[in-house]
Amino acid sequence: MNSRETLRHLVVQQKNQIEKGGDFTERSILPAVLDAFSDNRVLILTGIRRCGKSTLLRQIMQTKTRYCYVNFEDERLLNFRAEDFEALNEVLFEIYGVPDIYFFDEIQNIDRFETFVRRLQDQDKKVVITGSNAALLSTEFGTRLTGRYKRFEVYPFSFLEFLRFEKIYFTRDSLYLPEEKVKLITAFEEYMKSGGMPEYLKNNDTDYIKTLYDNIIYRDIIARYSIRKQRVIRELVGILASTVSLPFTYNSLKKSLGLKNAITVKEYITYLSGAYLFFELPRFDYSVKKQLSSPRKIYIIDTAFGILNGFSCSPNTGRLLENIVCIELLRSEHEIFYYSGDRECDFIIKHGQKITRALQVCQEINNDNEEREIGGLLEAMKEFGLSEGLILTGSQEETRHQGTATIIIQPVWKWLI
């Protein structure tokens, strides 16, 4: 139970903090979130810890009036219970006046929070919440607010947002001006090394990203799910980070970790995905049963985390590029798979019931890999009736025609902008 005086101090201090000005990098997702204010659905902003969700809330607040804000990560709310929401609401009225919009940061920390959110929605209040656990939020809202919420996934900075952060501006003409083009290429090389976690880019402190990484594993995985085998989960994280973009099976990981069954591995990876640290990419198959039993690929949310685990730029630049492309496709809300037949294609994009695009990623096309990379793309294009395919590379750019098929080869950095 929190006293009203404690709640009052907390709300006032958080209000002063959130209303402070700042030089914020505008997030590309902002217009879509603002458009979603047209009805009274609850808006959920989910994403890995420290990816910029709270800053996005500030950017939204700058366009709104008659709102209030509470961050439930505050240690003074450790004993907060669902029964305290009414007292908190009265304090919010005192400090902010009667709000039309409620902004709640990391509200999933409070048991049965969804009952209060539902009540606010029934009163025609707009509620915007953030959370760093996709599975928990989906479970709670799936039972009480089915069809009454809209979720947005917030990722670390894209390359475009990274350029805004670095105050590097460009036009279409920049692609044809040597000095401007070199500036963009240099920025992309830095983006590959540093990733897109906002605070890490500000301070460039390796200890910060290591601490954040450990906090995510401990708070969002080990503590939340009461995992006793801490050594196993940490070893699993290390294996996944070092095998980004490579196929794996739950059974192979089970053997590597010395576990008795593969279900435990599957559960652990589900937890890691729910915390937005890793993403599984399934192999496409028209048979759902075959798709579920096929090897999967793994990708990490941000290259900074991968590099900390020994996934360095060299000699794995191709895999690093592939990881960046995967996260960009996820950011764009594409439904993505990899294709594997006689050869393999890194990504295929599904819209509705149809495969609409095929993409291959490699550092460069050369004599050693040309048959594999182009052959894999062509096989996927033929399988899904596509006339055009894309190969993303480190620097190469050209267009090739093979029969009726067109293959566009383009640098990853150019594709990203």
Side-chain angles (χ1 to χ4, degrees):
M1 177 74 179
N2 292 84
S3 70
R4 284 179 180 271
E5 193 60 26
T6 298
L7 292 175
R8 197 172 287 111
H9 277 292
L10 179 143
V11 170
V12 169
Q13 289 172 9
Q14 290 188 354
K15 180 176 185 287
N16 289 338
Q17 183 65 31
I18 204 72
E19 290 180 349
K20 284 182 179 179
D23 182 17
F24 302 133
T25 300
E26 183 175 321
R27 302 306 301 265
S28 298
I29 198 174
L30 180 61
V33 177
L34 292 177
D35 284 346
F37 273 77
S38 58
D39 56 51
N40 81 328
R41 284 180 297 174
V42 175
L43 301 185
I44 307 175
L45 310 179
T46 60
I48 195 168
R49 287 182 183 275
R50 312 305 297 168
C51 70
K53 298 186 296 294
S54 297
T55 302
L56 179 58
L57 284 190
R58 292 191 186 193
Q59 293 176 9
I60 298 169
M61 289 176 197
Q62 289 174 350
T63 70
K64 303 297 177 183
T65 58
R66 295 174 63 86
Y67 63 78
C68 62
Y69 170 83
V70 181
N71 181 359
F72 287 92
E73 280 275 270
D74 196 298
E75 77 282 353
R76 289 169 290 184
L77 294 177
L78 286 175
N79 297 318
F80 192 92
R81 301 174 303 174
E83 294 81 1
D84 297 328
F85 272 118
E86 188 55 37
L88 174 63
N89 202 28
E90 292 173 4
V91 170
L92 291 172
F93 283 11
E94 292 176 26
I95 307 302
Y96 285 94
V98 180
D100 293 328
I101 308 171
Y102 287 74
F103 290 99
F104 293 142
D105 240 344
E106 298 292 345
I107 197 174
Q108 87 252 351
N109 293 327
I110 310 302
D111 288 336
R112 293 183 289 124
F113 70 88
E114 71 281 0
T115 57
F116 179 60
V117 171
R118 174 66 182 264
R119 178 154 62 90
L120 291 175
Q121 189 184 44
D122 289 341
Q123 296 170 0
D124 288 328
K125 303 295 185 181
K126 189 70 175 181
V127 182
V128 184
I129 70 177
T130 75
S132 53
N133 189 295
L136 183 61
L137 287 169
S138 296
T139 300
E140 303 299 345
F141 278 94
T143 55
R144 295 187 178 272
L145 288 171
T146 303
R148 302 181 66 182
Y149 68 92
K150 183 172 178 60
R151 190 173 81 176
F152 294 91
E153 292 186 326
V154 183
Y155 291 84
F157 284 162
S158 67
F159 182 49
L160 275 174
E161 290 167 333
F162 176 84
L163 292 174
R164 286 181 207 146
F165 173 82
E166 295 289 350
K167 295 182 169 45
I168 297 173
Y169 306 104
F170 66 94
T171 65
R172 184 174 294 274
D173 290 344
S174 300
L175 302 178
Y176 307 101
L177 300 172
E179 187 176 333
E180 295 293 310
K181 185 177 177 181
V182 167
K183 188 184 296 184
L184 291 170
I185 293 172
T186 302
F188 180 66
E189 290 171 352
E190 181 58 37
Y191 179 68
M192 276 205 299
K193 290 188 296 182
S194 301
M197 297 299 286
E199 285 298 320
Y200 180 51
L201 294 176
K202 287 179 183 177
N203 55 42
N204 199 28
D205 182 0
T206 305
D207 287 337
Y208 167 82
I209 205 76
K210 286 179 179 176
T211 301
L212 174 60
Y213 188 77
D214 286 339
N215 282 342
I216 292 167
I217 295 170
Y218 182 77
R219 296 175 64 182
D220 293 334
I221 311 298
I222 294 172
R224 187 178 295 280
Y225 298 104
S226 302
I227 294 175
R228 295 180 180 178
K229 299 177 180 178
Q230 295 189 25
R231 177 191 60 79
V232 173
I233 193 76
R234 291 184 182 278
E235 286 182 359
L236 173 61
V237 168
I239 292 171
L240 295 177
S242 63
T243 56
V244 161
S245 84
L246 302 179
F248 74 92
T249 64
Y250 299 128
N251 274 323
S252 66
L253 290 175
K254 175 199 75 174
K255 293 175 182 176
S256 297
L257 295 167
L259 295 174
K260 293 182 179 179
N261 64 71
I263 295 176
T264 302
V265 177
K266 185 176 181 180
E267 286 180 351
Y268 286 177
I269 292 179
T270 299
Y271 299 156
L272 292 166
S273 299
Y276 290 97
L277 189 56
F278 290 97
F279 300 89
E280 291 180 271
L281 189 67
R283 173 182 175 270
F284 180 81
D285 199 290
Y286 290 106
S287 165
V288 176
K289 184 177 180 180
K290 288 182 180 178
Q291 187 170 290
L292 290 173
S293 62
S294 296
R296 294 171 166 248
K297 287 185 171 186
I298 201 78
Y299 295 90
I300 197 165
I301 182 65
D302 192 73
T303 53
F305 292 127
I307 290 172
L308 281 178
N309 283 272
F311 182 42
S312 61
C313 287
S314 179
N316 296 315
T317 306
R319 289 168 55 200
L320 203 57
L321 291 173
E322 187 177 331
N323 195 93
I324 290 170
V325 170
C326 179
I327 300 303
E328 183 67 20
L329 291 171
L330 290 170
R331 184 184 284 111
S332 303
E333 299 184 344
H334 290 306
E335 188 176 3
I336 62 175
F337 304 84
Y338 78 93
Y339 169 80
S340 181
D342 292 332
R343 293 186 174 92
E344 187 175 293
C345 182
D346 294 324
F347 302 109
I348 55 173
I349 313 301
K350 185 169 177 277
H351 281 289
Q353 299 300 311
K354 188 177 181 181
I355 300 298
T356 58
R357 295 177 69 195
L359 295 82
Q360 197 79 291
V361 185
C362 61
Q363 169 60 17
E364 66 173 352
I365 300 290
N366 54 42
N367 293 332
D368 294 331
N369 66 11
E370 184 170 347
E371 183 177 345
R372 181 181 72 248
E373 301 293 349
I374 293 180
L377 180 65
L378 287 171
E379 185 178 324
M381 291 168 62
K382 182 179 180 181
E383 174 72 20
F384 303 111
L386 303 175
S387 60
E388 183 178 288
L390 178 64
I391 298 181
L392 297 171
T393 68
S395 60
Q396 291 167 299
E397 186 167 13
E398 63 176 295
T399 300
R400 298 188 186 185
H401 300 280
Q402 293 199 210
T404 59
T406 300
I407 299 175
I408 298 171
I409 301 173
Q410 188 178 41
V412 172
W413 66 266
K414 191 171 184 180
W415 176 76
L416 289 171
I417 63 173

